[in-house]
Amino acid sequence: ICDLRSDTLTRPDAGMMQAIQAAELGDDVYGEDPQVNRLEAVLAERLGKDAALFLPTGTMSNLAGLLAHCRRGEEIILGAEYHVYAYEAAGASVLGGVSLCPVPVRADGALDPGAVAGAVKADDSHLAVSRLLSLENTHNGLAVPLADMAATADAGRGAGLAVHLDGARFFNATVALGCAETELAGLMDTISVCLSKGLGAPAGSVLAGPGDLIARARRWRKMLGGGMRQAGVLAAAGLYALDRNVARLAEDHARAGELAGELRSLGAGEVSQATNMVFFTPGDGRNDALRAHLAARGAVIGGGSSGAIRMVLHKDVDDGALDCAVQGLKSFYG
Amino acid sequence: ICDLRSDTLTRPDAGMMQAIQAAELGDDVYGEDPQVNRLEAVLAERLGKDAALFLPTGTMSNLAGLLAHCRRGEEIILGAEYHVYAYEAAGASVLGGVSLCPVPVRADGALDPGAVAGAVKADDSHLAVSRLLSLENTHNGLAVPLADMAATADAGRGAGLAVHLDGARFFNATVALGCAETELAGLMDTISVCLSKGLGAPAGSVLAGPGDLIARARRWRKMLGGGMRQAGVLAAAGLYALDRNVARLAEDHARAGELAGELRSLGAGEVSQATNMVFFTPGDGRNDALRAHLAARGAVIGGGSSGAIRMVLHKDVDDGALDCAVQGLKSFYG
Amino acid sequence: ICDLRSDTLTRPDAGMMQAIQAAELGDDVYGEDPQVNRLEAVLAERLGKDAALFLPTGTMSNLAGLLAHCRRGEEIILGAEYHVYAYEAAGASVLGGVSLCPVPVRADGALDPGAVAGAVKADDSHLAVSRLLSLENTHNGLAVPLADMAATADAGRGAGLAVHLDGARFFNATVALGCAETELAGLMDTISVCLSKGLGAPAGSVLAGPGDLIARARRWRKMLGGGMRQAGVLAAAGLYALDRNVARLAEDHARAGELAGELRSLGAGEVSQATNMVFFTPGDGRNDALRAHLAARGAVIGGGSSGAIRMVLHKDVDDGALDCAVQGLKSFYG
Amino acid sequence: ICDLRSDTLTRPDAGMMQAIQAAELGDDVYGEDPQVNRLEAVLAERLGKDAALFLPTGTMSNLAGLLAHCRRGEEIILGAEYHVYAYEAAGASVLGGVSLCPVPVRADGALDPGAVAGAVKADDSHLAVSRLLSLENTHNGLAVPLADMAATADAGRGAGLAVHLDGARFFNATVALGCAETELAGLMDTISVCLSKGLGAPAGSVLAGPGDLIARARRWRKMLGGGMRQAGVLAAAGLYALDRNVARLAEDHARAGELAGELRSLGAGEVSQATNMVFFTPGDGRNDALRAHLAARGAVIGGGSSGAIRMVLHKDVDDGALDCAVQGLKSFYG
Ligand SMILES: [Ca+2]
Ligand SMILES: [Ca+2]
Ligand SMILES: [Ca+2]
Ligand SMILES: [Ca+2]
Ligand SMILES: [Ca+2]
Ligand SMILES: [Ca+2]
């Protein structure tokens, strides 16, 4: 089977399951889980931050970070299509009384520095208090270059904002940009990274940043209900993933390029691709028929009845699986 | 003096002060203030709604209405430049856990019906639950025609939304449109109107709508701290204003037209005008110098050091006062 | 008529209405209302604080103060029967994400210092962060002595808490205790006082405290919808009340004592009295019959069908009015 | 080693790790994880409810349930020493704007039905809207009998409240009471149960209840950040625990009785015991010395420097481990 709906679908492989099996466990609420402690230490170091915190999901990793940055009544400036704004049900507003100020995302996935500066509010009781800039990399697969990230972060910092990175696919970005992890992370005050997407762990996310902020985020994790006990079951998988599955993200990017090439040569619609994501908009609008055709051949795609279809490459789609999808596309449009 | 910064600056005139003086008062938290009860009854009737509620400000009138419409985690779709989104410090988010989804405001002050329909969220746990459409009329002085209001409201209703109108300057709209108050109000589920702007009362706003919703809003008013005791001191002024100061808004609109005409004939910058508001962008960018020049001649304008200057006509700017401002403008640019 | 339900029922007298009439007004959102500015300055000085803020109600005065003291997730320790906990619909929790930790109120109206210290939470992610102690004086009419207030406040401060006073009837307390206003206020970081109860103004409350905290409270006032425009209409009444109606609270206390004496001599039930409040629990449980009997004679009492009836003396109950109530009580029980 | 601090310390045994290893996994956000789906189905059936939801922790299980029951501004009545009030950092208030009304917990762990009925608020804008009664069983190890649970639940229902059970140790209760799981669950609208305590799973909790409420809780789970991907890694452990580790809780209860007996025969302080918990208050106040003495002999106890020490029996404390603790106690006090 070739499931292209999302890289969240990655399942632990045998080696990862072995790592889980072998893990010495403890109670992380007491701070005694060796796997969690090691995972937090490893990522704090790799990201060049004082401290790190393991959380069950990327949504909570972002949320605990945002609540640790912003008090009630303060504002986050962020991309209108970024996940924190568009796909986390406005949790920071709903649960935390933080207001969200969306600015348009550029075609390259970055925020315009001028737009960020322009969104920062004056000190006026009619207005929220701007506190945080929340960025995203990769965004829709686009790896935003370091220079653009730096320019936007600088615009925020110049206006007195702290800067957070939703790095759900942080390692896709660093692999694609060919930069050191600390180069991208160093532009940020806090970074959340996901272990369950391209890295292949079953669940889990880590927030890294300054010690005092991470201590506050730890309290928010507890209140939100993210303080798991023998969380090392998940953290062991995360450690394994960080060791084995980062460099191999380049394979996903290569296969995504290959799939995009095949789609373009079919001439059946618009195609764009970046890192591990391909966006294909069928010119004939027969999305549902295409989906059914592929499903019958063992390839699964998502998306609605019209518009762009997102296809995401990940470690559970190998060359054989990808070929199955490509053959299905060819037979549909051939 | 000619203070053009805002129509909130209107002061009670002698007749209004006499009405305050003569008012029989009671304790409105006990429901016993005759002026408040009469004001609520008058506006419920004039706006064609079951019930109405007096509140200290337009901000609270909108906020109590929004909280009565929306539960925690639900979403309001509204204009990105509307007051509820842009100038009420995101209170519904911060205090009420309601998310705010801004859509662009058209040049005519309306929201595009298609943009409203497009902003309504699918039923998906990643997304907020769309509940309410919040409109505004007038917007930046623009009286949005009934047909446009109806089209936008219909788009919202068709997607299952209730519809609220921030009618801080509702009567400027109805006077300018030449429509019945019930024609505009009839398109809405709830309407908030302000008594302290063009109508000239010292403070106060009224929310009108269905009985059960107004009962909920009354509870939110109490919790927010808007349950005043002998509120009839303010309500008496509001009743007087509704009797005497609605039709005369046409004078403000006429004077705004006159001021716009003078500005255009000066050729000193861009000018736009609608109802009681004039927006003037000095071509030479000498905003601060203009402000100082006018101030020395008894005319006060607001705005920053650059960009458009908003000039608002209201009942405390009579022909003589306006002439003072016009002469000041002429001598500056002459 | 003799309305004993509450001292909130006080209506402006002719002199106060004259003060309203004579008031020069401005727009308080611009900081330009002379009455509001003077009222804030007068109370800051009388209470010995850096700054003060006028708000429409005592509920908002407390709420804005609590939100200025406490961030989301922090906790207020307060009396289980105090108004902020028991009668403000948990607004600080609901709107502000502040948790409320009630401790029992002693028979003398104070909180036990040991109970306050014992309620302060350890630094543990399972627990809220204790931040503020909220006191009340008078409580159910009881004027808590300075020494008790000081002991409780010290217990809070010793545990790192700031201290707020809900002084809805602050002046009843200082008049009854015979202390300087600054003596009671000096024990507190912030104080809210009401103008609409015994002082006789139609509405309004003032929060006093440190300059930075009052600046934050001013923002919360705006967001909550308490930023009225020509609020001087109310502030002028408040200034008049502070000048004329403070010392006379002693008359209310004396009449309350007189009423309590009459009730005790009737031997018809339990009686307690402190400052301007009398609590009477009819021994025969015929509350409804008593209420009807008094109403027929022009005296109004509140309370439910059973339990204690609160009777509140205030400036609109003079000797003649009180006599009407006393005669009614005598004829009912005689 | 004999760690008596908490039953959260339980580690997966070899069989459970094998079940994890063998688990077929999917993405639970897509509803495709077979283990999670089976776990939810199993517990819905065992608890006699329409639907169930897997969550990462008991804190989130309670929180998502409370948010699904209560809207902003509504109130939960619950025991002042219950975990939801005392140890979850007031999350429902802080994050959800729900107010919490504590009532005293009886010595038997139940709430007095009269106290519950008395805490329900009248319909008055000064007061929160009472919505939910939240119970707990076991509480401090006490298994509250069905008749008491029923009486309290009836008192709540009679006043219009829904009833939730924090069943973090639900199975300790049913095993101790010797009742069917549906007998206890049947008294409740919703129940949360923990898999990570006595049952021995590494993490995870399940909320069961009516279908529409569970659907709302699922949305809150997503917003709170509890929507994990291949959550089957944890759910498989939970399924194994439900199969193998429920009946054996009786062993923990027996060992707790044995430990209590030994402590009583030492005559060294007050002892109480119920289900798997023993509370021991050293008469000599030498808590720290006792803790050090035991630690040197391989037994770990928690608690502070004074007061009661909680000792919790669980599956990782076998007879040999318990004996180690008992010998340590004997040598300390002998
Ligand atoms: Ca995965
Ligand atoms: Ca206003
Ligand atoms: Ca005005
Ligand atoms: Ca009054
Ligand atoms: Ca465990
Ligand atoms: Ca747990």
Side-chain angles (χ1 to χ4, degrees), chain B residues 8 56-59 194-197 202-205, chain C residues 227-229:
Chain B
T8 61
T57 66
T59 293
C194 273
L195 305 165
S196 68
K197 298 191 172 78
S205 182
Chain C
M228 297 184 289
R229 297 293 177 172

Side-chain angles (χ1 to χ4, degrees), chain D residues 103-120:
Chain D
V103 300
V105 178
R106 290 195 320 216
D108 65 1
L111 302 187
D112 184 69
V116 166
V120 174

Side-chain angles (χ1 to χ4, degrees), chain C residues 13 45 55 58 67 69 115 134 137 142 161 185 194 218 283 323 331:
Chain C
D13 59 24
E45 166 141 18
L55 302 105
L67 296 180
H69 275 289
S134 183
N137 201 359
L142 294 158
L161 306 181
C194 273
R218 194 175 289 275
D323 194 55
S331 60

Side-chain angles (χ1 to χ4, degrees), chain C residues 35-36 90 102 111 143 154 182 200 208 216 226 232 238 253 288 293 299 309 327:
Chain C
Q35 309 303 320
V36 171
L111 302 187
D154 284 354
T182 48
R216 291 202 299 275
H253 301 180
D288 291 335
H293 181 86
I309 297 166
Q327 295 311 320

Side-chain angles (χ1 to χ4, degrees), chain A residues 7-10 196-197 200-202, chain D residues 229-230:
Chain A
D7 48 9
T8 62
L9 296 161
T10 49
S196 67
K197 297 190 173 77
Chain D
R229 297 292 175 174
Q230 285 74 32

Side-chain angles (χ1 to χ4, degrees), chain D residues 207-288:
Chain D
L207 178 75
D212 58 344
L213 191 142
I214 296 298
R216 291 202 300 277
R218 193 175 289 275
R219 288 191 89 120
W220 291 115
R221 182 186 72 169
K222 184 73 182 155
M223 191 186 285
L224 291 163
M228 295 184 290
R229 297 292 175 174
Q230 285 74 32
V233 170
L234 298 172
L239 282 162
Y240 179 91
L242 284 169
D243 269 359
R244 311 291 181 98
N245 292 345
V246 171
R248 67 152 302 289
L249 293 171
E251 295 177 32
D252 300 338
H253 302 179
R255 286 197 188 95
E258 198 177 324
L259 174 58
E262 296 283 3
L263 280 163
R264 286 192 186 104
S265 67
L266 288 172
E270 271 181 58
V271 179
S272 70
Q273 178 261 331
T275 65
N276 67 330
M277 294 195 188
V278 181
F279 291 86
F280 170 56
T281 311
D284 59 6
R286 294 170 59 216
N287 293 30
D288 291 334

Side-chain angles (χ1 to χ4, degrees), chain B residues 61-190:
Chain B
S61 187
N62 284 322
L63 180 56
L66 303 179
L67 295 181
H69 274 291
C70 297
R71 302 178 196 177
R72 176 198 336 110
E74 296 182 339
E75 176 188 79
I76 302 167
I77 294 169
L78 77 184
E81 290 84 34
Y82 285 177
H83 199 271
V84 167
Y85 183 71
Y87 297 106
E88 298 182 3
S93 283
V94 173
L95 301 169
V98 172
S99 77
L100 299 174
C101 174
V103 300
V105 178
R106 290 195 319 217
D108 65 2
L111 302 188
D112 185 66
V116 166
V120 174
K121 306 290 183 293
D123 180 13
D124 179 326
S125 70
H126 291 82
L127 310 176
V129 177
S130 302
R131 178 68 62 200
L132 181 70
L133 173 63
S134 183
L135 302 176
E136 184 173 311
N137 200 1
T138 65
H139 171 66
N140 280 346
L142 294 157
V144 181
L146 289 176
D148 292 298
M149 295 302 289
T152 309
D154 284 354
R157 283 233 178 63
L161 307 181
V163 187
H164 171 73
L165 179 68
D166 176 3
R169 293 181 180 86
F170 177 86
F171 298 102
N172 291 280
T174 55
V175 164
L177 297 172
C179 71
E181 290 164 3
T182 48
E183 285 183 284
L184 178 50
L187 301 171
M188 307 294 150
D189 294 296
T190 49

